[in-house]
Amino acid sequence: MRTDKLTIKAQEALADARDLAQKKGQSELQPEHLLLALLAQEGGLVGRLFERLGVDPDAVAGDMEGLLNKQPKISGGHEVGVSRRLREVWEAAEKLATTFKDDVVSSEHMWLALIDERGPVGEALRMRGATRDS
């Protein structure tokens, strides 16, 4: 997991996701944090991609907030680690970039990897109609 292989927007999303996890008092960075950060990016592409699919980005954000509210919280200063689930998403995004013959991992690669995720994020997205085929 090399951050130097991420586009600037992808790096910003990862940093924003980490900030979100800290604000929520969560010790692990999850795919839900990343998707919320991608949706919140000013001038970002992910919200527009959902809209093109006919999927309401605000509804997706609400789904992610609901999933995060179920996550354990800790108090006090803490370091946020990367969860196994996010590592899997990141690795899938790296593979997608390689498949597309891209030198860097972009927000779009992360978005596709999140759609393919085999956990609650991917399930929520597929239930909303966001699939690889669509």
PDB file of all heavy atoms in Angstrom, residues 35 38-39 45-58 60-61 64 111 114-115 121 124-126 128-131:
ATOM      1  N   LEU A  35     -15.227   5.883   1.291  1.00  0.00           N
ATOM      2  CA  LEU A  35     -16.313   6.245   0.384  1.00  0.00           C
ATOM      3  C   LEU A  35     -16.929   7.583   0.772  1.00  0.00           C
ATOM      4  O   LEU A  35     -17.206   8.414  -0.098  1.00  0.00           O
ATOM      5  CB  LEU A  35     -17.374   5.150   0.338  1.00  0.00           C
ATOM      6  CG  LEU A  35     -18.515   5.369  -0.652  1.00  0.00           C
ATOM      7  CD1 LEU A  35     -18.014   5.711  -2.047  1.00  0.00           C
ATOM      8  CD2 LEU A  35     -19.415   4.145  -0.690  1.00  0.00           C
ATOM      9  N   LEU A  38     -14.587  10.234  -0.445  1.00  0.00           N
ATOM     10  CA  LEU A  38     -14.671  10.390  -1.901  1.00  0.00           C
ATOM     11  C   LEU A  38     -15.936  11.158  -2.293  1.00  0.00           C
ATOM     12  O   LEU A  38     -15.907  11.993  -3.194  1.00  0.00           O
ATOM     13  CB  LEU A  38     -14.647   9.019  -2.586  1.00  0.00           C
ATOM     14  CG  LEU A  38     -13.307   8.294  -2.584  1.00  0.00           C
ATOM     15  CD1 LEU A  38     -13.484   6.832  -2.988  1.00  0.00           C
ATOM     16  CD2 LEU A  38     -12.308   8.991  -3.493  1.00  0.00           C
ATOM     17  N   LEU A  39     -17.032  10.880  -1.613  1.00  0.00           N
ATOM     18  CA  LEU A  39     -18.287  11.577  -1.905  1.00  0.00           C
ATOM     19  C   LEU A  39     -18.225  13.049  -1.530  1.00  0.00           C
ATOM     20  O   LEU A  39     -18.864  13.879  -2.178  1.00  0.00           O
ATOM     21  CB  LEU A  39     -19.448  10.903  -1.163  1.00  0.00           C
ATOM     22  CG  LEU A  39     -19.949   9.601  -1.756  1.00  0.00           C
ATOM     23  CD1 LEU A  39     -20.867   8.889  -0.773  1.00  0.00           C
ATOM     24  CD2 LEU A  39     -20.651   9.847  -3.077  1.00  0.00           C
ATOM     25  N   LEU A  45     -15.150  13.210  -8.542  1.00  0.00           N
ATOM     26  CA  LEU A  45     -15.856  12.498  -9.587  1.00  0.00           C
ATOM     27  C   LEU A  45     -16.849  11.462  -9.056  1.00  0.00           C
ATOM     28  O   LEU A  45     -17.837  11.151  -9.722  1.00  0.00           O
ATOM     29  CB  LEU A  45     -14.829  11.810 -10.491  1.00  0.00           C
ATOM     30  CG  LEU A  45     -15.338  11.041 -11.683  1.00  0.00           C
ATOM     31  CD1 LEU A  45     -16.076  11.958 -12.650  1.00  0.00           C
ATOM     32  CD2 LEU A  45     -14.181  10.365 -12.388  1.00  0.00           C
ATOM     33  N   VAL A  46     -16.631  10.951  -7.877  1.00  0.00           N
ATOM     34  CA  VAL A  46     -17.405   9.812  -7.385  1.00  0.00           C
ATOM     35  C   VAL A  46     -18.896  10.133  -7.270  1.00  0.00           C
ATOM     36  O   VAL A  46     -19.737   9.341  -7.693  1.00  0.00           O
ATOM     37  CB  VAL A  46     -16.809   9.281  -6.060  1.00  0.00           C
ATOM     38  CG1 VAL A  46     -17.721   8.268  -5.404  1.00  0.00           C
ATOM     39  CG2 VAL A  46     -15.436   8.670  -6.333  1.00  0.00           C
ATOM     40  N   GLY A  47     -19.239  11.283  -6.719  1.00  0.00           N
ATOM     41  CA  GLY A  47     -20.651  11.659  -6.627  1.00  0.00           C
ATOM     42  C   GLY A  47     -21.306  11.719  -7.994  1.00  0.00           C
ATOM     43  O   GLY A  47     -22.438  11.247  -8.182  1.00  0.00           O
ATOM     44  N   ARG A  48     -20.598  12.262  -8.963  1.00  0.00           N
ATOM     45  CA  ARG A  48     -21.128  12.350 -10.328  1.00  0.00           C
ATOM     46  C   ARG A  48     -21.277  10.972 -10.969  1.00  0.00           C
ATOM     47  O   ARG A  48     -22.212  10.729 -11.727  1.00  0.00           O
ATOM     48  CB  ARG A  48     -20.242  13.256 -11.185  1.00  0.00           C
ATOM     49  CG  ARG A  48     -20.285  14.713 -10.739  1.00  0.00           C
ATOM     50  CD  ARG A  48     -19.638  15.646 -11.753  1.00  0.00           C
ATOM     51  NE  ARG A  48     -18.344  15.201 -12.251  1.00  0.00           N
ATOM     52  CZ  ARG A  48     -17.174  15.676 -11.860  1.00  0.00           C
ATOM     53  NH1 ARG A  48     -17.102  16.627 -10.953  1.00  0.00           N
ATOM     54  NH2 ARG A  48     -16.047  15.223 -12.380  1.00  0.00           N
ATOM     55  N   LEU A  49     -20.352  10.067 -10.657  1.00  0.00           N
ATOM     56  CA  LEU A  49     -20.463   8.708 -11.188  1.00  0.00           C
ATOM     57  C   LEU A  49     -21.716   8.022 -10.653  1.00  0.00           C
ATOM     58  O   LEU A  49     -22.433   7.360 -11.413  1.00  0.00           O
ATOM     59  CB  LEU A  49     -19.214   7.894 -10.840  1.00  0.00           C
ATOM     60  CG  LEU A  49     -17.941   8.274 -11.580  1.00  0.00           C
ATOM     61  CD1 LEU A  49     -16.739   7.547 -10.982  1.00  0.00           C
ATOM     62  CD2 LEU A  49     -18.062   7.998 -13.061  1.00  0.00           C
ATOM     63  N   PHE A  50     -21.983   8.190  -9.366  1.00  0.00           N
ATOM     64  CA  PHE A  50     -23.207   7.615  -8.799  1.00  0.00           C
ATOM     65  C   PHE A  50     -24.439   8.208  -9.477  1.00  0.00           C
ATOM     66  O   PHE A  50     -25.370   7.489  -9.829  1.00  0.00           O
ATOM     67  CB  PHE A  50     -23.290   7.833  -7.285  1.00  0.00           C
ATOM     68  CG  PHE A  50     -22.492   6.845  -6.495  1.00  0.00           C
ATOM     69  CD1 PHE A  50     -21.527   7.270  -5.600  1.00  0.00           C
ATOM     70  CD2 PHE A  50     -22.702   5.481  -6.615  1.00  0.00           C
ATOM     71  CE1 PHE A  50     -20.788   6.366  -4.851  1.00  0.00           C
ATOM     72  CE2 PHE A  50     -21.965   4.562  -5.886  1.00  0.00           C
ATOM     73  CZ  PHE A  50     -21.009   5.005  -4.998  1.00  0.00           C
ATOM     74  N   GLU A  51     -24.433   9.517  -9.662  1.00  0.00           N
ATOM     75  CA  GLU A  51     -25.575  10.164 -10.313  1.00  0.00           C
ATOM     76  C   GLU A  51     -25.792   9.616 -11.716  1.00  0.00           C
ATOM     77  O   GLU A  51     -26.937   9.400 -12.123  1.00  0.00           O
ATOM     78  CB  GLU A  51     -25.374  11.684 -10.345  1.00  0.00           C
ATOM     79  CG  GLU A  51     -25.538  12.319  -8.990  1.00  0.00           C
ATOM     80  CD  GLU A  51     -25.158  13.790  -8.957  1.00  0.00           C
ATOM     81  OE1 GLU A  51     -24.603  14.313  -9.962  1.00  0.00           O
ATOM     82  OE2 GLU A  51     -25.407  14.423  -7.919  1.00  0.00           O
ATOM     83  N   ARG A  52     -24.719   9.382 -12.449  1.00  0.00           N
ATOM     84  CA  ARG A  52     -24.841   8.815 -13.797  1.00  0.00           C
ATOM     85  C   ARG A  52     -25.484   7.436 -13.775  1.00  0.00           C
ATOM     86  O   ARG A  52     -26.132   7.032 -14.734  1.00  0.00           O
ATOM     87  CB  ARG A  52     -23.485   8.713 -14.468  1.00  0.00           C
ATOM     88  CG  ARG A  52     -23.044   9.995 -15.079  1.00  0.00           C
ATOM     89  CD  ARG A  52     -21.890   9.723 -15.970  1.00  0.00           C
ATOM     90  NE  ARG A  52     -21.749  10.816 -16.902  1.00  0.00           N
ATOM     91  CZ  ARG A  52     -20.774  10.919 -17.747  1.00  0.00           C
ATOM     92  NH1 ARG A  52     -19.849   9.976 -17.781  1.00  0.00           N
ATOM     93  NH2 ARG A  52     -20.705  11.936 -18.565  1.00  0.00           N
ATOM     94  N   LEU A  53     -25.267   6.713 -12.679  1.00  0.00           N
ATOM     95  CA  LEU A  53     -25.867   5.389 -12.539  1.00  0.00           C
ATOM     96  C   LEU A  53     -27.308   5.469 -12.030  1.00  0.00           C
ATOM     97  O   LEU A  53     -27.973   4.445 -11.905  1.00  0.00           O
ATOM     98  CB  LEU A  53     -25.046   4.527 -11.564  1.00  0.00           C
ATOM     99  CG  LEU A  53     -23.648   4.139 -11.990  1.00  0.00           C
ATOM    100  CD1 LEU A  53     -22.971   3.327 -10.896  1.00  0.00           C
ATOM    101  CD2 LEU A  53     -23.658   3.368 -13.295  1.00  0.00           C
ATOM    102  N   GLY A  54     -27.748   6.679 -11.715  1.00  0.00           N
ATOM    103  CA  GLY A  54     -29.083   6.836 -11.149  1.00  0.00           C
ATOM    104  C   GLY A  54     -29.134   6.519  -9.668  1.00  0.00           C
ATOM    105  O   GLY A  54     -30.194   6.203  -9.126  1.00  0.00           O
ATOM    106  N   VAL A  55     -27.981   6.589  -9.012  1.00  0.00           N
ATOM    107  CA  VAL A  55     -27.875   6.306  -7.581  1.00  0.00           C
ATOM    108  C   VAL A  55     -27.676   7.633  -6.851  1.00  0.00           C
ATOM    109  O   VAL A  55     -26.779   8.405  -7.198  1.00  0.00           O
ATOM    110  CB  VAL A  55     -26.687   5.346  -7.291  1.00  0.00           C
ATOM    111  CG1 VAL A  55     -26.522   5.114  -5.810  1.00  0.00           C
ATOM    112  CG2 VAL A  55     -26.881   4.028  -8.038  1.00  0.00           C
ATOM    113  N   ASP A  56     -28.504   7.890  -5.852  1.00  0.00           N
ATOM    114  CA  ASP A  56     -28.440   9.127  -5.094  1.00  0.00           C
ATOM    115  C   ASP A  56     -27.207   9.125  -4.182  1.00  0.00           C
ATOM    116  O   ASP A  56     -27.140   8.331  -3.240  1.00  0.00           O
ATOM    117  CB  ASP A  56     -29.712   9.287  -4.265  1.00  0.00           C
ATOM    118  CG  ASP A  56     -29.757  10.544  -3.434  1.00  0.00           C
ATOM    119  OD1 ASP A  56     -28.836  11.382  -3.539  1.00  0.00           O
ATOM    120  OD2 ASP A  56     -30.721  10.701  -2.658  1.00  0.00           O
ATOM    121  N   PRO A  57     -26.233  10.016  -4.435  1.00  0.00           N
ATOM    122  CA  PRO A  57     -25.025  10.050  -3.601  1.00  0.00           C
ATOM    123  C   PRO A  57     -25.332  10.352  -2.129  1.00  0.00           C
ATOM    124  O   PRO A  57     -24.645   9.834  -1.246  1.00  0.00           O
ATOM    125  CB  PRO A  57     -24.179  11.163  -4.210  1.00  0.00           C
ATOM    126  CG  PRO A  57     -24.777  11.476  -5.515  1.00  0.00           C
ATOM    127  CD  PRO A  57     -26.174  10.983  -5.517  1.00  0.00           C
ATOM    128  N   ASP A  58     -26.361  11.162  -1.871  1.00  0.00           N
ATOM    129  CA  ASP A  58     -26.719  11.458  -0.484  1.00  0.00           C
ATOM    130  C   ASP A  58     -27.250  10.216   0.230  1.00  0.00           C
ATOM    131  O   ASP A  58     -26.992  10.012   1.416  1.00  0.00           O
ATOM    132  CB  ASP A  58     -27.754  12.581  -0.422  1.00  0.00           C
ATOM    133  CG  ASP A  58     -27.184  13.918  -0.870  1.00  0.00           C
ATOM    134  OD1 ASP A  58     -25.958  14.119  -0.737  1.00  0.00           O
ATOM    135  OD2 ASP A  58     -27.960  14.757  -1.359  1.00  0.00           O
ATOM    136  N   VAL A  60     -26.334   7.150  -0.503  1.00  0.00           N
ATOM    137  CA  VAL A  60     -25.137   6.325  -0.269  1.00  0.00           C
ATOM    138  C   VAL A  60     -24.401   6.836   0.966  1.00  0.00           C
ATOM    139  O   VAL A  60     -23.991   6.047   1.826  1.00  0.00           O
ATOM    140  CB  VAL A  60     -24.209   6.322  -1.508  1.00  0.00           C
ATOM    141  CG1 VAL A  60     -22.875   5.656  -1.194  1.00  0.00           C
ATOM    142  CG2 VAL A  60     -24.892   5.643  -2.687  1.00  0.00           C
ATOM    143  N   ALA A  61     -24.250   8.164   1.067  1.00  0.00           N
ATOM    144  CA  ALA A  61     -23.580   8.746   2.241  1.00  0.00           C
ATOM    145  C   ALA A  61     -24.342   8.382   3.516  1.00  0.00           C
ATOM    146  O   ALA A  61     -23.721   8.032   4.536  1.00  0.00           O
ATOM    147  CB  ALA A  61     -23.469  10.259   2.089  1.00  0.00           C
ATOM    148  N   MET A  64     -23.530   4.862   4.457  1.00  0.00           N
ATOM    149  CA  MET A  64     -22.190   4.738   5.033  1.00  0.00           C
ATOM    150  C   MET A  64     -22.162   5.263   6.466  1.00  0.00           C
ATOM    151  O   MET A  64     -21.538   4.665   7.343  1.00  0.00           O
ATOM    152  CB  MET A  64     -21.150   5.462   4.175  1.00  0.00           C
ATOM    153  CG  MET A  64     -20.966   4.892   2.777  1.00  0.00           C
ATOM    154  SD  MET A  64     -20.599   3.131   2.709  1.00  0.00           S
ATOM    155  CE  MET A  64     -22.168   2.459   2.104  1.00  0.00           C
ATOM    156  N   TRP A 111     -13.241   3.658  -6.385  1.00  0.00           N
ATOM    157  CA  TRP A 111     -14.693   3.571  -6.477  1.00  0.00           C
ATOM    158  C   TRP A 111     -15.117   2.199  -7.004  1.00  0.00           C
ATOM    159  O   TRP A 111     -16.003   1.549  -6.443  1.00  0.00           O
ATOM    160  CB  TRP A 111     -15.197   4.700  -7.381  1.00  0.00           C
ATOM    161  CG  TRP A 111     -16.662   4.729  -7.624  1.00  0.00           C
ATOM    162  CD1 TRP A 111     -17.639   5.074  -6.733  1.00  0.00           C
ATOM    163  CD2 TRP A 111     -17.333   4.420  -8.846  1.00  0.00           C
ATOM    164  NE1 TRP A 111     -18.873   5.004  -7.343  1.00  0.00           N
ATOM    165  CE2 TRP A 111     -18.706   4.604  -8.636  1.00  0.00           C
ATOM    166  CE3 TRP A 111     -16.895   4.027 -10.101  1.00  0.00           C
ATOM    167  CZ2 TRP A 111     -19.654   4.394  -9.633  1.00  0.00           C
ATOM    168  CZ3 TRP A 111     -17.832   3.812 -11.093  1.00  0.00           C
ATOM    169  CH2 TRP A 111     -19.187   3.999 -10.845  1.00  0.00           C
ATOM    170  N   LEU A 114     -14.548  -0.384  -4.388  1.00  0.00           N
ATOM    171  CA  LEU A 114     -15.571  -0.308  -3.339  1.00  0.00           C
ATOM    172  C   LEU A 114     -16.870  -0.970  -3.795  1.00  0.00           C
ATOM    173  O   LEU A 114     -17.536  -1.648  -3.010  1.00  0.00           O
ATOM    174  CB  LEU A 114     -15.821   1.149  -2.941  1.00  0.00           C
ATOM    175  CG  LEU A 114     -14.706   1.784  -2.118  1.00  0.00           C
ATOM    176  CD1 LEU A 114     -14.831   3.310  -2.132  1.00  0.00           C
ATOM    177  CD2 LEU A 114     -14.727   1.260  -0.686  1.00  0.00           C
ATOM    178  N   ILE A 115     -17.222  -0.799  -5.065  1.00  0.00           N
ATOM    179  CA  ILE A 115     -18.416  -1.449  -5.596  1.00  0.00           C
ATOM    180  C   ILE A 115     -18.262  -2.971  -5.536  1.00  0.00           C
ATOM    181  O   ILE A 115     -19.210  -3.691  -5.228  1.00  0.00           O
ATOM    182  CB  ILE A 115     -18.709  -0.975  -7.038  1.00  0.00           C
ATOM    183  CG1 ILE A 115     -19.238   0.460  -7.020  1.00  0.00           C
ATOM    184  CG2 ILE A 115     -19.704  -1.903  -7.735  1.00  0.00           C
ATOM    185  CD1 ILE A 115     -19.418   1.085  -8.387  1.00  0.00           C
ATOM    186  N   VAL A 121     -20.070  -2.462   2.559  1.00  0.00           N
ATOM    187  CA  VAL A 121     -20.051  -1.328   1.627  1.00  0.00           C
ATOM    188  C   VAL A 121     -20.498  -1.783   0.243  1.00  0.00           C
ATOM    189  O   VAL A 121     -21.394  -1.202  -0.369  1.00  0.00           O
ATOM    190  CB  VAL A 121     -18.655  -0.668   1.569  1.00  0.00           C
ATOM    191  CG1 VAL A 121     -18.579   0.342   0.438  1.00  0.00           C
ATOM    192  CG2 VAL A 121     -18.338   0.004   2.892  1.00  0.00           C
ATOM    193  N   ALA A 124     -24.183  -2.624   0.235  1.00  0.00           N
ATOM    194  CA  ALA A 124     -25.037  -1.427   0.236  1.00  0.00           C
ATOM    195  C   ALA A 124     -25.065  -0.773  -1.138  1.00  0.00           C
ATOM    196  O   ALA A 124     -26.120  -0.335  -1.609  1.00  0.00           O
ATOM    197  CB  ALA A 124     -24.552  -0.437   1.298  1.00  0.00           C
ATOM    198  N   LEU A 125     -23.917  -0.711  -1.797  1.00  0.00           N
ATOM    199  CA  LEU A 125     -23.852  -0.102  -3.121  1.00  0.00           C
ATOM    200  C   LEU A 125     -24.627  -0.920  -4.143  1.00  0.00           C
ATOM    201  O   LEU A 125     -25.363  -0.365  -4.970  1.00  0.00           O
ATOM    202  CB  LEU A 125     -22.397   0.081  -3.559  1.00  0.00           C
ATOM    203  CG  LEU A 125     -21.591   1.083  -2.740  1.00  0.00           C
ATOM    204  CD1 LEU A 125     -20.151   1.109  -3.205  1.00  0.00           C
ATOM    205  CD2 LEU A 125     -22.215   2.462  -2.806  1.00  0.00           C
ATOM    206  N   ARG A 126     -24.475  -2.223  -4.097  1.00  0.00           N
ATOM    207  CA  ARG A 126     -25.202  -3.069  -5.037  1.00  0.00           C
ATOM    208  C   ARG A 126     -26.709  -2.983  -4.799  1.00  0.00           C
ATOM    209  O   ARG A 126     -27.483  -2.975  -5.752  1.00  0.00           O
ATOM    210  CB  ARG A 126     -24.690  -4.501  -4.958  1.00  0.00           C
ATOM    211  CG  ARG A 126     -23.286  -4.641  -5.569  1.00  0.00           C
ATOM    212  CD  ARG A 126     -22.805  -6.071  -5.626  1.00  0.00           C
ATOM    213  NE  ARG A 126     -22.559  -6.658  -4.317  1.00  0.00           N
ATOM    214  CZ  ARG A 126     -21.434  -6.498  -3.608  1.00  0.00           C
ATOM    215  NH1 ARG A 126     -20.451  -5.755  -4.082  1.00  0.00           N
ATOM    216  NH2 ARG A 126     -21.281  -7.093  -2.437  1.00  0.00           N
ATOM    217  N   ARG A 128     -28.259  -0.419  -3.904  1.00  0.00           N
ATOM    218  CA  ARG A 128     -28.668   0.870  -4.468  1.00  0.00           C
ATOM    219  C   ARG A 128     -28.613   0.868  -5.994  1.00  0.00           C
ATOM    220  O   ARG A 128     -29.021   1.836  -6.638  1.00  0.00           O
ATOM    221  CB  ARG A 128     -27.767   1.993  -3.946  1.00  0.00           C
ATOM    222  CG  ARG A 128     -27.938   2.270  -2.478  1.00  0.00           C
ATOM    223  CD  ARG A 128     -28.924   3.376  -2.305  1.00  0.00           C
ATOM    224  NE  ARG A 128     -29.141   3.611  -0.872  1.00  0.00           N
ATOM    225  CZ  ARG A 128     -30.251   4.079  -0.397  1.00  0.00           C
ATOM    226  NH1 ARG A 128     -31.241   4.381  -1.208  1.00  0.00           N
ATOM    227  NH2 ARG A 128     -30.402   4.268   0.878  1.00  0.00           N
ATOM    228  N   GLY A 129     -28.065  -0.182  -6.585  1.00  0.00           N
ATOM    229  CA  GLY A 129     -28.002  -0.269  -8.032  1.00  0.00           C
ATOM    230  C   GLY A 129     -26.645   0.057  -8.624  1.00  0.00           C
ATOM    231  O   GLY A 129     -26.505   0.139  -9.844  1.00  0.00           O
ATOM    232  N   ALA A 130     -25.645   0.246  -7.777  1.00  0.00           N
ATOM    233  CA  ALA A 130     -24.290   0.520  -8.259  1.00  0.00           C
ATOM    234  C   ALA A 130     -23.552  -0.802  -8.391  1.00  0.00           C
ATOM    235  O   ALA A 130     -23.134  -1.389  -7.398  1.00  0.00           O
ATOM    236  CB  ALA A 130     -23.553   1.452  -7.298  1.00  0.00           C
ATOM    237  N   THR A 131     -23.444  -1.271  -9.621  1.00  0.00           N
ATOM    238  CA  THR A 131     -22.741  -2.522  -9.889  1.00  0.00           C
ATOM    239  C   THR A 131     -21.696  -2.273 -10.957  1.00  0.00           C
ATOM    240  O   THR A 131     -21.751  -1.255 -11.664  1.00  0.00           O
ATOM    241  CB  THR A 131     -23.705  -3.616 -10.384  1.00  0.00           C
ATOM    242  OG1 THR A 131     -24.243  -3.222 -11.641  1.00  0.00           O
ATOM    243  CG2 THR A 131     -24.822  -3.872  -9.389  1.00  0.00           C
TER     244      THR A 131
END
